[in-house]
């Protein structure tokens, strides 16, 4: 019986999980929700049924595997990581993994603040991009010469890091210029056989990253 992933028709917090399920060859199906259009951008398609799933904390994304029912993107990613040997082993590696996870969560938060809350998107985007190299420099230094950013072996945080760097490349395609090890990391990730197959498939989409209320990447293209 396939795993069920429920999420909006957008990348946002769900895409890293999709990448993990694809890479691990997990048999899964998606239950996709689409919010309404302007002016209210109704989420009633989810809100009207969210208490019907037996979820302890009803939210999107949700993950159902038999009797196991989970919500919250990072909890789901950690679970899939542990289940598929995509989890740091030593205490030192786990510390790096945990710290990087939270740094990427903050990183993506800044991106979504721009996309969802900007009053003058074009002007605020320029300000955001001017500050972006500071974060990228830290990620680059953290990666160093390793193949994978969390530890010597691939872990769930590589999927998190890849996805949110890629979302930034959609915002500004040249943003990784000058950070060769990050570019190599992205290339290495995209060359993974099941990831390469997925990125070429009709299951993958570049847009929308955000929901329909956003100022950026809010509709399919």
């Amino acid at each position: 019986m396939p795993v069920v992933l429920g999420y909006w028709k957008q990348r946002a917090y769900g895409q890293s999980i999709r990448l993990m399920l694809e890479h691990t060859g997990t048999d899964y199906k998606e239950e996709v929700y689409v919010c309404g259009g302007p002016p209210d951008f109704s989420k009633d398609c989810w809100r009207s049924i969210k208490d019907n799933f037996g979820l302890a904390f009803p939210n999107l994304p949700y993950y159902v595997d038999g009797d196991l029912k989970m919500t919250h993107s990072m909890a789901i990613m950690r679970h899939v990581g542990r289940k598929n040997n995509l989890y740091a082993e030593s205490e030192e590696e786990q510390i790096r993994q945990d710290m990087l996870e939270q740094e990427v969560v903050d990183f993506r938060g800044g991106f979504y603040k721009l996309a969802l809350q900007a009053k003058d998107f074009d002007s605020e985007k320029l300000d955001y991009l001017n500050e972006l190299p500071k974060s990228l420099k830290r990620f680059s230094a953290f990666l160093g010469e390793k193949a994978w950013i969390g530890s010597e072996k691939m872990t769930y945080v590589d999927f998190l890091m890849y996805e949110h760097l890629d979302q930034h490349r959609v915002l500004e395609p040249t943003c990784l210029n000058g950070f060769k090890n990050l570019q190599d990391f992205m290339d290495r990730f995209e060359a993974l056989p099941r990831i390469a197959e997925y990125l070429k498939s009709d299951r993958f989409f570049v847009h929308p990253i955000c929901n329909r209320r956003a100022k950026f990447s809010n509709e399919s293209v």
Side-chain angles (χ1 to χ4, degrees), residues 76-127:
I76 295 168
M77 290 191 71
R78 292 185 205 114
H79 167 72
V80 176
R82 289 189 294 266
K83 184 176 180 179
N84 292 280
N85 194 30
L86 292 167
Y87 204 85
E89 296 176 358
S90 72
E91 182 178 13
E92 180 181 356
E93 289 174 334
Q94 288 174 6
I95 289 169
R96 285 178 57 87
Q97 171 187 272
D98 295 350
M99 186 165 56
L100 179 63
E101 173 197 299
Q102 293 306 302
E103 187 65 25
V104 180
V105 167
D106 288 348
F107 181 59
R108 74 182 185 184
F111 179 92
Y112 296 134
K113 182 179 179 181
L114 170 69
L116 293 164
Q117 299 180 21
K119 291 181 171 56
D120 182 344
F121 179 77
D122 290 337
S123 174
E124 293 178 46
K125 173 185 171 180
L126 290 176
D127 292 340

Coordinates of all heavy atoms in Angstrom, one line a residue, residues 76-127:
I76 N 8.5 14.8 9.3 CA 8.3 13.9 8.2 C 9.7 13.6 7.6 O 10.0 12.4 7.4 CB 7.3 14.4 7.2 CG1 5.9 14.5 7.8 CG2 7.3 13.4 5.9 CD1 4.9 15.2 6.9
M77 N 10.5 14.6 7.4 CA 11.8 14.4 6.7 C 12.7 13.6 7.7 O 13.4 12.7 7.2 CB 12.4 15.7 6.4 CG 11.7 16.4 5.2 SD 12.7 17.9 4.6 CE 14.1 17.0 3.8
R78 N 12.7 13.9 8.9 CA 13.5 13.1 9.9 C 13.1 11.6 9.9 O 14.0 10.7 9.9 CB 13.4 13.7 11.3 CG 14.1 15.1 11.4 CD 14.0 15.5 12.9 NE 14.1 16.9 13.0 CZ 13.1 17.7 13.4 NH1 12.0 17.1 13.9 NH2 13.2 19.0 13.5
H79 N 11.8 11.4 9.9 CA 11.3 10.0 9.9 C 11.7 9.3 8.6 O 12.3 8.1 8.7 CB 9.8 10.0 10.0 CG 9.2 8.6 9.7 ND1 9.3 7.6 10.5 CD2 8.5 8.2 8.6 CE1 8.7 6.5 10.0 NE2 8.2 6.9 8.8
V80 N 11.5 9.9 7.4 CA 11.9 9.3 6.2 C 13.5 9.1 6.1 O 14.0 8.0 5.6 CB 11.5 10.1 5.0 CG1 11.9 9.5 3.7 CG2 9.9 10.2 5.0
G81 N 14.2 10.0 6.7 CA 15.6 9.9 6.8 C 16.1 8.7 7.6 O 16.9 7.9 7.2
R82 N 15.5 8.5 8.8 CA 15.8 7.4 9.7 C 15.4 6.1 9.0 O 16.2 5.1 9.1 CB 15.1 7.5 11.0 CG 15.7 8.6 11.9 CD 15.1 8.6 13.3 NE 13.7 8.9 13.3 CZ 13.2 10.1 13.5 NH1 13.9 11.1 13.7 NH2 11.8 10.3 13.6
K83 N 14.3 6.1 8.4 CA 13.8 4.8 7.7 C 14.7 4.4 6.6 O 14.7 3.2 6.3 CB 12.4 5.1 7.3 CG 11.7 3.9 6.7 CD 10.2 4.2 6.3 CE 9.5 3.0 5.8 NZ 8.1 3.3 5.4
N84 N 15.3 5.3 5.9 CA 16.1 5.0 4.7 C 17.6 5.2 4.8 O 18.3 5.4 3.8 CB 15.5 5.8 3.5 CG 14.1 5.4 3.2 OD1 13.9 4.4 2.5 ND2 13.1 6.1 3.6
N85 N 18.1 5.2 6.0 CA 19.5 5.4 6.2 C 20.0 6.7 5.7 O 21.1 6.8 5.1 CB 20.3 4.2 5.6 CG 21.8 4.2 6.1 OD1 22.1 4.7 7.3 ND2 22.7 3.7 5.3
L86 N 19.2 7.7 5.8 CA 19.6 9.1 5.4 C 19.6 10.0 6.6 O 18.9 11.0 6.7 CB 18.6 9.6 4.3 CG 18.6 9.0 3.0 CD1 17.4 9.4 2.1 CD2 19.9 9.3 2.2
Y87 N 20.3 9.5 7.6 CA 20.4 10.2 8.9 C 21.8 10.0 9.4 O 22.4 9.0 9.3 CB 19.4 9.5 9.9 CG 18.9 10.4 11.0 CD1 17.9 11.2 10.8 CD2 19.6 10.3 12.2 CE1 17.4 12.0 11.9 CE2 19.1 11.1 13.3 CZ 18.1 12.0 13.1 OH 17.6 12.8 14.1
A88 N 22.3 11.1 10.0 CA 23.7 11.1 10.5 C 23.9 10.1 11.6 O 22.9 9.8 12.4 CB 24.0 12.5 11.1
E89 N 25.1 9.5 11.7 CA 25.3 8.4 12.6 C 26.0 8.8 13.9 O 25.6 8.6 15.0 CB 26.1 7.3 11.9 CG 25.3 6.7 10.7 CD 26.1 5.7 9.9 OE1 27.3 5.5 10.2 OE2 25.5 5.1 9.0
S90 N 27.2 9.5 13.8 CA 27.9 9.8 15.0 C 27.3 11.1 15.6 O 26.6 11.8 15.0 CB 29.4 10.1 14.6 OG 29.5 11.4 13.9
E91 N 27.6 11.3 16.9 CA 27.1 12.4 17.6 C 27.6 13.7 16.9 O 26.8 14.7 16.8 CB 27.5 12.4 19.0 CG 27.0 13.6 19.8 CD 27.4 13.5 21.3 OE1 28.2 12.8 21.7 OE2 26.8 14.3 22.1
E92 N 28.8 13.8 16.5 CA 29.3 15.0 15.8 C 28.6 15.2 14.5 O 28.2 16.4 14.3 CB 30.8 14.8 15.5 CG 31.4 16.0 14.8 CD 32.9 15.8 14.5 OE1 33.5 14.7 14.8 OE2 33.5 16.7 13.8
E93 N 28.3 14.2 13.8 CA 27.5 14.4 12.5 C 26.1 14.8 12.8 O 25.5 15.6 12.1 CB 27.6 13.1 11.7 CG 28.9 12.8 11.1 CD 29.0 11.5 10.4 OE1 28.2 10.6 10.8 OE2 29.8 11.3 9.5
Q94 N 25.5 14.2 13.8 CA 24.1 14.6 14.2 C 24.0 16.0 14.6 O 23.1 16.7 14.3 CB 23.6 13.7 15.3 CG 23.3 12.2 14.8 CD 23.0 11.3 15.9 OE1 22.8 11.7 17.1 NE2 22.8 10.0 15.6
I95 N 25.1 16.5 15.3 CA 25.1 17.9 15.7 C 25.1 18.8 14.5 O 24.4 19.8 14.4 CB 26.3 18.2 16.6 CG1 26.0 17.6 18.0 CG2 26.5 19.7 16.8 CD1 27.3 17.6 18.9
R96 N 26.0 18.5 13.5 CA 26.1 19.2 12.3 C 24.7 19.2 11.5 O 24.2 20.2 11.0 CB 27.2 18.7 11.4 CG 28.6 19.0 11.8 CD 29.6 18.4 10.9 NE 29.4 18.8 9.5 CZ 29.9 19.9 8.9 NH1 30.6 20.7 9.6 NH2 29.7 20.1 7.6
Q97 N 24.2 18.0 11.5 CA 22.9 17.8 10.8 C 21.8 18.7 11.4 O 21.1 19.4 10.7 CB 22.5 16.3 10.9 CG 21.1 16.0 10.4 CD 20.8 14.5 10.7 OE1 21.1 13.6 9.9 NE2 20.2 14.2 11.9
D98 N 21.7 18.6 12.7 CA 20.6 19.3 13.4 C 20.8 20.8 13.3 O 19.8 21.6 13.1 CB 20.6 19.0 14.9 CG 20.2 17.5 15.2 OD1 19.8 16.8 14.2 OD2 20.4 17.0 16.3
M99 N 22.1 21.3 13.4 CA 22.3 22.7 13.3 C 22.0 23.2 11.8 O 21.4 24.3 11.7 CB 23.8 23.0 13.6 CG 24.2 24.4 13.7 SD 25.8 24.7 14.5 CE 26.9 23.6 13.6
L100 N 22.4 22.4 10.8 CA 22.2 22.8 9.5 C 20.7 22.9 9.2 O 20.2 23.8 8.5 CB 22.9 21.9 8.5 CG 22.6 22.2 7.0 CD1 23.2 23.6 6.7 CD2 23.2 21.1 6.1
E101 N 20.0 21.9 9.7 CA 18.5 21.8 9.5 C 17.9 23.2 9.9 O 17.1 23.8 9.2 CB 17.9 20.7 10.3 CG 16.4 20.7 10.3 CD 15.8 19.8 11.4 OE1 16.0 18.6 11.4 OE2 15.0 20.4 12.2
Q102 N 18.2 23.6 11.1 CA 17.6 24.8 11.6 C 18.1 26.1 10.9 O 17.3 27.0 10.7 CB 17.9 24.9 13.1 CG 17.2 23.9 13.9 CD 15.7 23.9 13.7 OE1 15.0 24.9 13.9 NE2 15.2 22.7 13.2
E103 N 19.3 26.0 10.4 CA 19.8 27.2 9.6 C 19.0 27.3 8.3 O 18.7 28.4 7.8 CB 21.3 27.0 9.3 CG 21.9 28.2 8.7 CD 21.9 29.5 9.5 OE1 21.8 29.4 10.8 OE2 21.9 30.6 9.0
V104 N 18.8 26.1 7.7 CA 18.0 26.1 6.4 C 16.6 26.5 6.7 O 16.0 27.2 5.8 CB 18.1 24.8 5.7 CG1 17.3 24.8 4.4 CG2 19.5 24.4 5.4
V105 N 16.0 26.1 7.8 CA 14.6 26.6 8.1 C 14.6 28.1 8.2 O 13.7 28.7 7.7 CB 14.2 25.9 9.5 CG1 12.9 26.6 10.0 CG2 13.9 24.4 9.2
D106 N 15.6 28.7 8.9 CA 15.6 30.2 8.9 C 15.8 30.8 7.6 O 15.2 31.8 7.2 CB 16.8 30.6 9.8 CG 16.5 30.4 11.3 OD1 15.4 30.0 11.7 OD2 17.5 30.5 12.1
F107 N 16.7 30.1 6.8 CA 17.0 30.6 5.4 C 15.7 30.6 4.5 O 15.4 31.6 3.9 CB 18.0 29.6 4.8 CG 18.5 29.9 3.4 CD1 19.1 31.2 3.1 CD2 18.4 29.0 2.4 CE1 19.6 31.4 1.8 CE2 18.9 29.2 1.1 CZ 19.5 30.4 0.8
R108 N 15.0 29.5 4.6 CA 13.7 29.5 3.8 C 12.7 30.5 4.3 O 11.9 31.0 3.6 CB 13.2 28.1 3.7 CG 12.5 27.6 5.0 CD 12.0 26.1 4.8 NE 11.3 25.7 6.0 CZ 10.8 24.4 6.2 NH1 11.0 23.5 5.3 NH2 10.2 24.1 7.3
G109 N 12.7 30.7 5.6 CA 11.8 31.7 6.2 C 12.0 33.0 5.7 O 11.0 33.8 5.4
G110 N 13.2 33.4 5.4 CA 13.5 34.8 4.8 C 13.0 34.8 3.4 O 12.4 35.9 3.0
F111 N 13.1 33.7 2.7 CA 12.6 33.7 1.3 C 11.1 33.8 1.3 O 10.6 34.6 0.5 CB 13.1 32.3 0.7 CG 12.6 32.1 -0.7 CD1 13.4 32.4 -1.8 CD2 11.4 31.4 -1.0 CE1 13.1 32.1 -3.1 CE2 11.0 31.2 -2.3 CZ 11.8 31.5 -3.3
Y112 N 10.4 33.1 2.1 CA 9.0 33.2 2.1 C 8.4 34.5 2.7 O 7.3 34.9 2.3 CB 8.4 32.0 2.9 CG 8.7 30.6 2.2 CD1 9.1 29.6 2.9 CD2 8.6 30.5 0.8 CE1 9.5 28.4 2.3 CE2 8.9 29.3 0.2 CZ 9.3 28.2 0.9 OH 9.7 27.1 0.3
K113 N 9.2 35.1 3.6 CA 8.8 36.4 4.0 C 8.8 37.4 2.8 O 7.8 38.2 2.7 CB 9.7 36.9 5.1 CG 9.3 38.3 5.7 CD 10.3 38.7 6.8 CE 9.9 40.0 7.4 NZ 10.9 40.5 8.4
L114 N 9.8 37.3 2.0 CA 9.9 38.2 0.8 C 8.7 37.9 -0.1 O 8.0 38.8 -0.6 CB 11.2 37.9 0.1 CG 11.3 38.6 -1.3 CD1 11.4 40.1 -1.2 CD2 12.5 38.0 -2.0
A115 N 8.5 36.6 -0.4 CA 7.5 36.2 -1.4 C 6.1 36.5 -0.9 O 5.2 36.8 -1.7 CB 7.6 34.7 -1.7
L116 N 5.8 36.4 0.4 CA 4.5 36.5 0.9 C 4.1 37.9 1.5 O 3.0 38.3 1.5 CB 4.2 35.4 1.9 CG 4.2 34.0 1.4 CD1 4.3 33.0 2.5 CD2 2.9 33.7 0.6
Q117 N 5.1 38.6 2.0 CA 4.9 39.8 2.8 C 5.4 41.1 2.1 O 5.1 42.2 2.6 CB 5.4 39.7 4.2 CG 4.8 38.5 5.0 CD 5.4 38.4 6.4 OE1 5.9 39.4 6.9 NE2 5.3 37.2 7.0
A118 N 6.2 41.0 1.1 CA 6.7 42.2 0.5 C 5.6 43.2 0.0 O 4.7 42.7 -0.6 CB 7.6 41.8 -0.7
K119 N 5.8 44.4 0.4 CA 4.8 45.4 -0.1 C 5.3 46.0 -1.5 O 4.4 46.3 -2.3 CB 4.8 46.6 0.9 CG 4.1 46.1 2.2 CD 4.0 47.3 3.2 CE 3.2 46.9 4.4 NZ 3.7 45.7 5.1
D120 N 6.6 46.0 -1.7 CA 7.1 46.4 -3.0 C 8.1 45.3 -3.4 O 9.3 45.4 -3.1 CB 7.8 47.8 -2.9 CG 8.4 48.3 -4.2 OD1 8.5 47.5 -5.2 OD2 8.7 49.5 -4.3
F121 N 7.6 44.3 -4.1 CA 8.4 43.1 -4.3 C 9.7 43.4 -5.0 O 10.7 42.9 -4.6 CB 7.6 42.0 -5.0 CG 8.4 40.8 -5.3 CD1 8.6 39.8 -4.3 CD2 8.9 40.5 -6.6 CE1 9.3 38.7 -4.5 CE2 9.7 39.4 -6.8 CZ 9.9 38.5 -5.8
D122 N 9.6 44.1 -6.1 CA 10.8 44.3 -6.9 C 11.9 45.0 -6.1 O 13.1 44.7 -6.2 CB 10.5 45.1 -8.2 CG 9.7 44.3 -9.2 OD1 9.7 43.1 -9.1 OD2 9.0 45.0 -10.0
S123 N 11.6 46.0 -5.3 CA 12.5 46.8 -4.5 C 13.1 45.9 -3.4 O 14.3 45.8 -3.2 CB 11.9 48.0 -3.9 OG 12.8 48.7 -3.0
E124 N 12.2 45.2 -2.7 CA 12.6 44.3 -1.6 C 13.4 43.1 -2.1 O 14.3 42.6 -1.4 CB 11.4 43.9 -0.8 CG 10.8 45.1 0.0 CD 9.5 44.8 0.8 OE1 9.6 43.8 1.5 OE2 8.5 45.5 0.7
K125 N 13.1 42.7 -3.3 CA 13.9 41.6 -3.9 C 15.3 42.0 -4.0 O 16.3 41.2 -3.7 CB 13.3 41.1 -5.2 CG 14.1 40.1 -6.0 CD 13.6 39.8 -7.3 CE 14.5 39.0 -8.2 NZ 14.0 38.7 -9.5
L126 N 15.6 43.2 -4.5 CA 16.9 43.7 -4.7 C 17.7 43.7 -3.3 O 18.8 43.3 -3.2 CB 16.9 45.0 -5.3 CG 16.5 45.1 -6.8 CD1 16.5 46.5 -7.3 CD2 17.5 44.3 -7.7
D127 N 17.0 44.2 -2.3 CA 17.6 44.2 -1.0 C 17.9 42.8 -0.5 O 19.0 42.6 0.1 CB 16.6 44.9 0.0 CG 16.5 46.4 -0.3 OD1 17.3 47.0 -0.9 OD2 15.4 47.0 0.2

